[in-house]
Amino acid sequence: MCIGIVGRVVDFDAAGPAVARTGTVDTEVGRRQVCFAFLPDAAVGDLVLVHSGYAIDRVDDADGDGGGR
């Protein structure tokens, strides 16, 4: 079972690590810094599932909780 939170991608860190992008996701419980190693083609505005600090999957707006705030 995966316990994750849904959030909307706000931005990406310009000076992030070369291996995987990091960025900010806006969730119901606040903004979180996450790693996008599993979603390298994620874009600002995408709704994603976050687990243990990683964005692990995209979520349809119809399936999500509205994208946080």
Side-chain angles (χ1 to χ4, degrees):
M1 176 162 98
C2 172
I3 299 175
I5 55 175
V6 175
R8 183 127 359 234
V9 179
V10 176
D11 63 18
F12 293 100
D13 299 331
V19 176
R21 287 190 306 172
T22 59
T24 306
V25 173
D26 192 19
T27 72
E28 286 185 351
V29 295
R31 290 193 170 190
R32 308 260 179 179
Q33 280 298 113
V34 300
C35 178
F36 290 89
F38 300 117
L39 291 176
D41 59 341
V44 171
D46 284 352
L47 197 57
V48 296
L49 179 64
V50 178
H51 176 70
S52 297
Y54 289 87
I56 59 172
D57 201 3
R58 270 191 199 79
V59 180
D60 263 349
D61 278 322
D63 296 336
D65 65 352
R69 297 175 200 187

